Amino acid sequence: MSRMRPWAMLRNVLSAVLLTAACALAPLASLSLWARYEIGDTDAYVATMAPLASYDPVQNDVATAVTEAIMTRVDQQEERSAGDTGGPGPPRHSVEAFVHDAVRSFTGTRTFRTAWNAANRATHQAVLRALRTGDDGKVGFDIAPISAHVKAQLMADSVPFAKRIPVEHTDVTVLPAHDHTMSRKGFHVLQVTGVWLPAASVACAVLGLLLALRRRRAVVATAAGLALGAGVLLAAIAIGRDLALGDLPSDVSRASAGAVYDALTRTLRITSWAVLGTGAVVALLTPLARQARVPAAGSRREAQGAPAETASRRP
């Protein structure tokens, strides 16, 4: 018996270490899977961002950005015209309101949703290229297709100066240069560990449970640890949202930025809540199931012993 005690102690220590490692790795595993298969996958990213095309603050921000880009090109053309003719060009406000209304109307169409998905696909591919290759150039999307639609609509409505709206390649910047440099290393680490971290977490959990001498108690501890890790990850997501929105420039809508952040982290939040709920339920119900079985077993023993006791009392 004494020979087994050191081995039993070693098993308990190894089990505790492995289960602790499993619980600690679980949030990081969720992050790595999210970075690899959702943020790092263009199709998944486009599908995640697609519903935002119908979100009113996003439509307003797109309308404002596209209108400013179009009007900047119009102003440049008018300056050249004024230099050639020697006279001033038409006032800016004479067409800007019509352009904004036309762009805002365009954001409610199926064509805009198609353009939105195409722009997000191009933007995502550019961001991934910047993160993977080290390119620090700015990231933007081309508004030429939107400009063409707006120009055609304004010309059909006989809006003055609509013919002067240029339809040419014009980038609206999504990420300025060097804006994503700091995140490159972290993204690379999450991409590389996208498969290994979850596998390591599961392996540690399985080995820890197999080595545990009191397996029921180990299950409760593991479930509680996983729930705690999921809660920490949810708190980190919430803190990250506050920090991200707090550092926005004054000309960026917090509503739109918040909607983008929430859309990108939706799967991560759902997974975390699922792990937290499941872990809490398992941690609470496992001891209750044990307590329910103990009285039931005692009742069966009493029932089996009752006939023998009655027989022994007979004369």
Side-chain angles (χ1 to χ4, degrees), residues 1-154:
M1 189 72 179
S2 59
R3 293 180 181 178
M4 296 297 296
R5 287 180 180 175
W7 169 236
M9 293 177 60
L10 180 61
R11 283 184 60 178
N12 279 333
V13 171
L14 289 176
S15 175
V17 171
L18 288 171
L19 294 179
T20 301
C23 295
L25 290 175
L28 297 176
S30 298
L31 279 174
S32 63
L33 289 175
W34 171 72
R36 184 179 181 90
Y37 295 109
E38 183 161 351
I39 302 302
D41 183 81
T42 299
D43 291 335
Y45 176 84
V46 172
T48 298
M49 298 296 289
L52 295 181
S54 302
Y55 188 56
D56 193 66
V58 171
Q59 292 178 345
N60 289 331
D61 287 347
V62 170
T64 299
V66 173
T67 299
E68 290 179 355
I70 291 175
M71 293 310 301
T72 298
R73 305 296 294 178
V74 170
D75 289 343
Q76 293 173 354
Q77 285 193 353
E78 296 304 331
E79 289 177 1
R80 289 195 295 268
S81 298
D84 294 338
T85 61
R92 193 179 200 271
H93 61 80
S94 61
V95 70
E96 183 175 6
F98 291 101
V99 171
H100 186 275
D101 291 342
V103 176
R104 186 63 181 82
S105 176
F106 173 69
T107 58
T109 65
R110 180 179 297 180
T111 306
F112 170 71
R113 290 192 290 272
T114 301
W116 171 264
N117 290 338
N120 276 297
R121 182 175 296 277
T123 299
H124 185 262
Q125 291 172 348
V127 171
L128 286 183
R129 187 163 53 251
L131 291 174
R132 289 168 177 168
T133 64
D135 181 16
D136 289 329
K138 68 178 182 179
V139 175
F141 66 91
D142 185 17
I143 67 166
I146 301 178
S147 300
H149 179 90
V150 170
K151 181 175 182 177
Q153 181 176 335
L154 294 178

